[in-house]
Amino acid sequence: MEIEDIKNWLDKHAWTFAKTMKEMPHEYIVKDKLSEKDKEMFVKVVIFIRENGYKESFGSKKYTYYNFGEYKYWTMGDKIEKTIILNRTNL
């Protein structure tokens, strides 16, 4: 998978602002709201982030992040098959 393919996929989606966490402004995509084709790409993007990203602490937990353009992307670290949210925030 090419990084440009991932970036294009990330850029084409509408992101939802996480209004319940105003103290940590970020946006997210919900896997269950995607088309079947986009669900497959969602999984590929999550795997890419986890295999190529960097670890960073947030509170008492460590997450794997990856920077694309002006955003930092991450998931909550659940197993791939249970991961349904992809988050991003401005760098």
Side-chain angles (χ1 to χ4, degrees):
M1 171 178 307
E2 299 291 325
I3 289 179
E4 194 62 31
D5 295 333
I6 294 171
K7 182 156 180 1
N8 289 337
W9 186 85
L10 293 168
D11 288 345
K12 82 173 191 173
H13 289 284
W15 291 78
T16 302
F17 179 72
K19 58 184 171 259
T20 61
M21 293 189 68
K22 292 178 182 163
E23 70 283 358
M24 192 198 135
H26 69 284
E27 300 171 305
Y28 62 91
I29 290 177
V30 179
K31 179 182 175 186
D32 294 344
K33 294 184 178 182
L34 300 173
S35 70
E36 288 306 312
K37 183 178 177 182
D38 282 331
K39 286 178 184 176
E40 291 174 20
M41 188 63 171
F42 178 98
V43 171
K44 290 177 184 178
V45 169
V46 169
I47 291 169
F48 179 88
I49 290 169
R50 292 183 181 179
E51 289 179 352
N52 298 283
Y54 58 93
K55 297 281 187 191
E56 188 173 283
S57 294
F58 180 78
S60 63
K61 297 195 175 199
K62 278 196 170 201
Y63 297 103
T64 303
Y65 298 88
Y66 194 92
N67 299 347
F68 284 105
E70 61 193 61
Y71 296 101
K72 175 180 3 183
Y73 295 86
W74 76 98
T75 66
M76 301 309 292
D78 293 326
K79 293 180 180 181
I80 297 293
E81 59 275 5
K82 299 227 181 231
T83 297
I84 61 167
I85 302 288
L86 178 61
N87 299 292
R88 78 176 184 183
T89 192
N90 289 321
L91 287 171

